[in-house]
Amino acid sequence: MATVAPTARLLRILAIFLGTIVALLLLSGLALVLLVRSDLFEQQVRQRVLPEVSQRLGREVTVESVRGRVLPRPGVDIQGLRVAGQTQTPLLVVEGVDARLAAWPLIASRGRRMVLRRLHVENPTVHLVRLPSGNWDIPRPPPSKRKIEMALENITVSGGHFRVVDARGPRTLFEMEDLDAAASFVDSVLAFRSLDAEAYGASLEARGSRLDAGAEPIAWDLEAAVEGLALEALPVRRSPLAGTLAFALNLAGQDVLPARMGRTATGRGSIESRDLVWRALDLQGALASELGSLFRQVGLPVQPPAGGETRLGDLRRSVTVEQGWVRLEEPVELDAPMGRTRLGGRWRLGTELDLSAQTDLTPEFVSELTRGELRPNSAVPVRYRIRGTFARPRLEDVDASAFLPVLMEEGADRLRRELEKILPPFGTTP
């Protein structure tokens, strides 16, 4: 079975979450407009609506209570909604759902058009669980034979909680909490008036974002900002980066499959870091390794420096995004131990790197690298590219041609010193 990318899994499970609630409300709404007595309404929901939704979803769907009201406005109030999973961890738990329906569109269309004036979801918890088999616990309901037109004019969510869980551990792979949102879904367009959440000490805001599910391909706009993201707090074994990040993005793109989203995203943004360290990149060691082979060819000794990380420090840069590539509008300048370094270029949203760099190696670094045998009169520029990924960066296209005059001068000095050993001083007679 083909695996589904994490973002696609998230979108699918959120669609199931919303679809389950809408299916419940649709069938409940039909019962509501036919039955005025609340006891008969709840009886119909428990005997007919819940079994039908459970069968279609392939998961047991239960509620603690469900009440309907006709006057002054038709509505449905659901308490304790629960969608079971294949493990003890439920797929969805919702404390309360409050819906206000427009009765006439539902009656006139014979259940084919539903308009919700209000849909409020209180304290929902969504679980995405990786099963012991390695597959994800995601229901796959068959395509609906009934075409339903929906208009959700005012969707609000408060106190939302989203968790990705590995049942093989068990352990939590990712967690987002305190999610509050206000949105609408009209004419196949999901538009967010507000969206706020917390994750690992960071705050997320995505006001003004929208997704047009009726477009071909699906089109989306993202206006998002993240503040105070502590990279060490993320639930990964070892992050290639350490420090704190903040960023804001204003992007547009197509499709919802992660690979295609990343290759169509276009827009602008900004990135700000504090105490940023590139753990996976030992830039000083990588440059010493590249230069070491050159120095050995001309007979110079080489003493590689101790391994280390690359400190990027506090940065603030604007970026442009084009077809998924993030490009720095202005290079980053670092006072690195081996010399002043400038980093520019781009990286793809999926972490693929295509950076260009130059380091002006200090005479002290070159002298230490060659055990004091070679000491230039000034800094020597070395140009190179950094490719690969943030977790596995590599240096390519290293241009150390600026060392050629230095090595020629060193070679001439060495030859002069050797000749002085075997020839008499100038102006004397042998």
Side-chain angles (χ1 to χ4, degrees):
M1 181 180 297
T3 59
V4 184
T7 305
R9 298 187 191 106
L10 172 59
L11 292 171
R12 179 180 292 177
I13 203 168
L14 292 178
I16 291 170
F17 156 62
L18 184 59
T20 300
I21 293 177
V22 169
L24 273 173
L25 294 175
L26 174 64
L27 296 175
S28 300
L30 287 171
L32 177 64
V33 298
L34 297 176
L35 302 168
V36 177
R37 289 174 50 186
S38 61
D39 56 342
L40 292 178
F41 169 70
E42 183 166 357
Q43 180 182 353
Q44 286 293 312
V45 170
R46 292 189 180 278
Q47 292 180 356
R48 301 184 61 180
V49 174
L50 291 178
E52 182 174 339
V53 175
S54 298
Q55 181 180 9
R56 174 170 177 75
L57 199 60
R59 302 286 191 275
E60 183 183 17
V61 181
T62 59
V63 298
E64 292 179 1
S65 68
V66 55
R67 298 185 181 279
R69 57 184 179 275
V70 178
L71 298 174
R73 293 186 181 89
V76 177
D77 179 31
I78 301 173
Q79 296 295 314
L81 171 63
R82 187 180 190 274
V83 179
Q86 294 184 15
T87 67
Q88 293 183 349
T89 303
L91 179 69
L92 171 66
V93 176
V94 180
E95 185 175 305
V97 178
D98 180 24
R100 308 287 177 86
L101 297 89
W104 177 246
L106 195 62
I107 298 172
S109 65
R110 298 180 181 180
R112 296 184 181 277
R113 183 170 186 267
M114 182 174 66
V115 177
L116 288 180
R117 304 300 186 195
R118 165 182 163 84
L119 172 62
H120 178 68
V121 183
E122 184 77 20
N123 296 333
T125 299
V126 179
H127 293 107
L128 177 58
V129 180
R130 186 192 291 272
L131 301 171
S133 64
N135 295 323
W136 294 90
D137 184 9
I138 301 177
R140 291 173 173 80
S144 176
K145 297 180 180 179
R146 180 190 298 175
K147 298 298 181 182
I148 303 171
E149 181 184 347
M150 292 184 295
L152 313 181
E153 297 178 343
N154 185 17
I155 310 169
T156 55
V157 178
S158 63
H161 192 180
F162 176 75
R163 296 177 65 213
V164 181
V165 180
D166 191 342
R168 300 174 297 182
R171 62 192 180 99
T172 300
L173 303 177
F174 178 77
E175 189 168 13
M176 180 184 295
E177 54 191 358
D178 296 332
L179 189 150
D180 298 318
S184 63
F185 184 74
V186 179
D187 295 331
S188 299
V189 176
L190 177 63
F192 286 93
R193 297 188 300 277
S194 66
L195 190 153
D196 300 277
E198 301 286 333
Y200 302 99
S203 61
L204 166 68
E205 179 182 303
R207 304 175 188 274
S209 300
R210 66 195 302 273
L211 184 146
D212 187 354
E216 183 59 41
I218 293 175
W220 52 266
D221 294 277
L222 174 66
E223 295 182 21
V226 173
E227 292 284 345
L229 178 61
L231 297 173
E232 296 93 329
L234 295 177
V236 294
R237 293 180 180 177
R238 179 175 172 81
S239 172
L241 299 170
T244 304
L245 280 182
F247 56 87
L249 295 173
N250 191 336
L251 305 177
Q254 297 176 339
D255 217 311
V256 293
L257 292 177
R260 296 176 186 173
M261 288 178 68
R263 294 183 182 277
T264 63
T266 299
R268 300 180 64 85
S270 62
I271 299 175
E272 187 172 354
S273 72
R274 188 166 63 251
D275 299 325
L276 188 62
V277 179
W278 195 344
R279 288 174 168 174
L281 176 63
D282 177 10
L283 185 55
Q284 179 172 273
L287 284 171
S289 176
E290 292 288 340
L291 294 173
S293 59
L294 173 63
F295 293 159
R296 291 188 183 94
Q297 290 179 17
V298 295
L300 289 171
V302 175
Q303 177 64 47
E309 304 169 326
T310 300
R311 304 193 66 85
L312 303 178
D314 298 343
L315 306 173
R316 187 171 186 174
R317 291 292 186 274
S318 297
V319 297
T320 57
V321 183
E322 184 175 358
Q323 300 298 309
W325 285 100
V326 182
R327 182 181 296 278
L328 291 168
E329 292 188 355
E330 181 182 353
V332 172
E333 296 191 0
L334 313 172
D335 286 321
M338 63 283 189
R340 187 73 172 171
T341 298
R342 289 175 292 280
L343 284 173
R346 61 181 188 168
W347 66 91
R348 194 179 285 279
L349 292 174
T351 74
E352 182 183 354
L353 301 177
D354 184 21
L355 301 176
S356 57
Q358 176 176 313
T359 298
D360 298 331
L361 296 174
T362 65
E364 293 77 14
F365 174 77
V366 177
S367 177
E368 181 180 353
L369 180 61
T370 58
R371 299 181 182 179
E373 291 289 329
L374 181 63
R375 186 182 180 91
N377 295 325
S378 60
V380 182
V382 175
R383 297 180 178 86
Y384 51 94
R385 304 191 75 85
I386 302 177
R387 293 196 172 97
T389 66
F390 282 108
R392 293 186 176 183
R394 63 179 185 272
L395 265 61
E396 294 184 359
D397 304 332
V398 178
D399 179 7
S401 58
F403 266 103
L404 294 179
V406 178
L407 293 176
M408 292 177 62
E409 183 179 349
E410 172 65 18
D413 288 342
R414 284 192 168 204
L415 178 60
R416 178 181 54 79
R417 290 195 296 268
E418 292 299 324
L419 289 175
E420 287 178 350
K421 292 177 182 179
I422 61 175
L423 294 178
F426 181 76
T428 64
T429 303

